[in-house]
Amino acid sequence: MSTDTHDRLLIIDFGSQVTQLIARRLRELNVYCEIHPYQKVTAASLRAFSPKAVILSGGPASVLDDASPRPPAALFTMGLPVLGICYGQQVMMKMLGGTVERGGGNAEFGRAYVRATDTQTDLLNGWFTKGDEQVWMSHGDHVSAIAPGFQVYGTSPGAPFAIIADPARRFYAVQFHPEVHHTPNGTRLYENFIRIAGFRGDWSMGAYKDEAIRKIRARVGNAKVICGLSGGVDSSVAAVLIHEAIGNQLTCVFVDHGLLRQDEAKEVVSMFRDHYNIPLIVADEQELFLGALDGVSDPETKRKIIGKLFIDVFQKHASAVGDAKFLAQGTLYPDVIESVSFAGGPSVTIKSHHNVGGLPEKMGLKLVEPLRELFKDEVRALGRELGLPAAFIGRHPFPGPGLAIRCPGEITREKLAILRQADAVFIDQIRRHGLYDEIWQAFAAILPVRTVGVMGDGRTYDFACALRAVTSVDGMTADVYPFSHAFLGETATRLINEVRGINRVTYDITSKPPGTIEWE
Ligand code: XMP
C-alpha cells in the first residue's frame, strides 16, 4: 500500500534533539508522519503534503530573536489541528497574538510537575487522574500572555502556561516535551491529539517497509549497491530490505578478519547466500588482519589497524563488483542523532567507529541508509516484517573489531581459540537458562594473565576469563545483568571443564559508565 492512502501527519522540525522521538511515538500509535525541516515548509508545500494534522517541534532558537524560524502563516488558516511543543508553543503564541519573554527566573531544565487548572479538553483524557503530572522541561524563554481564543489547562512553577489550547480551532500547545521518557504519560497526549484530529491509526511497520522499498528504488535507480555485512542485526536488516527493493543490484561483502565468534562466518553465509540468495562476497582475510595485529597490545592501535585494513579489504572486493555507485549501511537513528543539523536536516556523517567509515569519500560512493530514522527495537520489528528468523533478529550486538577488543594485551591464535570456545559455552548457558532475550549483550573476554589452579591432583597455570553481561536500551549506558550465584557457579564449572586453557572465571560487575561494555 502506498502512503498516499494513509492519513498523514507533518512534523515541522525546528531543530530539537528529540524531534525523532515524536515520530517514534506516532509510529507506535500507527500514524504515518514525516519530519520536514522548517526551511523547506511553505504554504504551497503544506497544501501539497495535505496533512491531517501538524506538530511544531521544539528547537534551540528564541522567538524573540530577529529572523527566528517560523512555520508559514497559512498553517493557522487551513483548519488543521496543530500541536506546538516547547519552541513550537512559543512560535504559535508569537504568531497568533500572545507574548513570549526571555527566561529570567522562569527557565526550567529537567523534571517538573504540571498542575491541572482545567481538564475540560480531550487533549487531557487520561491526564491528572492521580494529581500532578511529571513532565520534562527544557526551555529558557516562556509564554507570558496567551493568544486570543486560548485557555490555560495546566501550569508549572516555571511555565505558567504549560498546557494551553484553543479547542474551537483545535490548536494545542505545551511547554514541555511529551515525547521523552521522562514525561511518563506523554504518549497519551499524542494519542489524544491524533484522535482529536481524526486519524484512523492506519499505518504499520508493513507499510513502513513498502515505503522504504519505494524510496530505495527511487534513490538507487538502476545503479549497483554494495553493503558491508557484519552479521549483526542492523546491517542484516538493511541488506534484506535493499535486496527486496533492488534484487541482485545489491552485493554484500562480509569480511572474515579472523576475529569472529565460533561459527559466525558459516552462519552469515548460510543466512544470506543459502537462505536469501543475496549475492555475497566472503573475504577470507584472517592472515592479513592477524598478521598486522601480531605483537600489538595497545587498544587504540588495534582499533586503528583493524579499521584501516577493513577499508582496504572492503574497497578491494567492492571494486570487483564493478561500477557500484552506492554504499548501504545499517546506520540507526541513535548513530546519527549527533549529526542532525539544525540548519539543513540530517547530514551525512559516519560515526568514526563504523566499520566502513571513510569509504564513501575514498570510492566516490553515495550512501543508502534505510534505517536512519529507526531505533533498535523498530529495526527488529522491520526485520520481523521482512521475515528474518527470530533468532537472527534477536542476536546480541557484536562490535566491528570483534574478538580483538575482548582480548586485552597481545592477540594470539591460541588466545582467540580459547576465547571462541569460552564465549560459546557462556552463550549456551544463557540460552539454556532462557535469559538470552533479557540481556542486551553478553560475552567472554580473555585476560592477559595466567593464574595458578589445581585440577585433579595437578597444578594448572592457565588464563583467567572474564564474563560480561549487561542490560541496556541503546548501548550508551548499561547495567550489569544480575545472574544468580547458582548460574554463575554452574557456568564457571562448565567453562573450566569444557575449555582447555582457562582455569579461573570472573564476572565483571562494572556498569557503564564508568566502565564501557567492551573491555577495550
Ligand atoms: P562500548 O564498549 O563503547 O560499546 O560501551 C557500546 C556498544 O557498541 C559496540 N561497539 C562497537 N560496534 N564497532 C561497532 O560496530 C566498534 O568499533 C565498536 N566498539 C564498541 C559494543 O559492542 C556495544 O554494543
Side-chain angles (χ1 to χ4, degrees), residues 453-473:
V454 52
M455 270 179 104
D457 288 324
R459 176 186 192 268
T460 59
Y461 186 56
D462 285 331
F463 286 111
C465 163
L467 304 180
R468 181 113 171 102
V470 294
T471 56
S472 177
V473 177

Side-chain angles (χ1 to χ4, degrees), residues 303 353 355 397-401 405 440-441 475 512 516-518:
R303 279 181 173 270
H353 85 211
N355 296 346
F398 185 64
I405 57 176
W440 162 267
Q441 201 169 2
K512 173 184 179 175
T516 55
I517 295 176
E518 302 291 346

Side-chain angles (χ1 to χ4, degrees), residues 57-69:
S57 86
S62 166
V63 293
L64 301 171
D65 292 344
D66 294 340
S68 56

Side-chain angles (χ1 to χ4, degrees), residues 412-480:
T412 64
R413 283 166 205 270
E414 180 206 5
K415 281 191 197 166
L416 288 174
I418 295 170
L419 182 51
R420 267 189 202 103
Q421 278 185 51
D423 190 75
V425 169
F426 182 36
I427 297 300
D428 181 59
Q429 270 290 101
I430 288 173
R431 284 197 193 278
R432 279 193 201 182
H433 285 257
L435 303 175
Y436 191 84
D437 293 339
E438 282 178 33
I439 294 171
W440 162 267
Q441 201 169 2
F443 57 87
I446 186 163
L447 304 188
V449 279
R450 287 180 195 261
T451 73
V452 174
V454 52
M455 270 179 104
D457 288 324
R459 176 186 192 268
T460 59
Y461 186 56
D462 285 331
F463 286 111
C465 163
L467 304 180
R468 181 113 171 102
V470 294
T471 56
S472 177
V473 177
D474 51 16
M476 306 294 286
T477 56
D479 274 327
V480 177

Side-chain angles (χ1 to χ4, degrees), residues 183-225:
T183 302
N185 207 7
T187 301
R188 193 63 198 262
L189 283 192
Y190 287 111
E191 193 179 348
N192 292 335
F193 177 65
I194 62 171
R195 192 160 297 148
I196 290 166
F199 279 82
R200 292 167 291 174
D202 58 359
W203 182 88
S204 63
M205 195 43 95
Y208 186 91
K209 182 191 86 177
D210 296 342
E211 178 64 14
I213 287 174
R214 198 183 60 72
K215 283 190 195 155
I216 293 166
R217 286 186 184 140
R219 177 155 169 76
V220 169
N222 294 324
K224 285 192 178 149
V225 180

Side-chain angles (χ1 to χ4, degrees), residues 22-163:
I22 303 176
R24 186 204 164 116
R25 296 283 165 259
L26 294 168
R27 290 197 291 264
E28 281 168 3
L29 295 165
N30 298 322
V31 166
Y32 177 82
C33 64
E34 286 184 22
I35 298 175
H36 292 188
Y38 74 90
Q39 303 95 319
K40 303 221 169 113
V41 183
T42 61
S45 78
L46 249 180
R47 277 187 207 98
F49 187 79
S50 185
K52 215 173 165 72
V54 172
I55 293 179
L56 307 176
S57 86
S62 166
V63 293
L64 301 171
D65 292 344
D66 294 340
S68 56
R70 298 271 190 277
L75 168 65
F76 300 111
T77 56
M78 292 168 76
L80 291 173
V82 179
L83 172 63
I85 312 287
C86 196
Y87 180 85
Q89 181 198 49
Q90 295 167 7
V91 89
M92 271 171 93
M93 288 304 98
K94 189 82 184 156
M95 292 174 73
L96 294 172
T99 31
V100 175
E101 283 179 5
R102 291 231 190 261
N106 279 332
E108 269 178 315
F109 296 93
R111 188 173 296 139
Y113 291 88
V114 175
R115 175 148 301 171
T117 51
D118 184 343
T119 52
Q120 295 307 303
T121 162
D122 288 340
L123 185 73
L124 296 175
N125 285 340
W127 262 53
F128 301 115
T129 53
K130 296 189 200 117
D132 295 353
E133 289 278 353
Q134 183 190 312
V135 301
W136 190 70
M137 295 275 190
S138 180
H139 65 100
D141 299 348
H142 67 279
V143 173
S144 53
I146 49 179
F150 278 79
Q151 193 191 320
V152 193
Y153 291 85
T155 179
S156 80
F161 303 108
I163 304 172

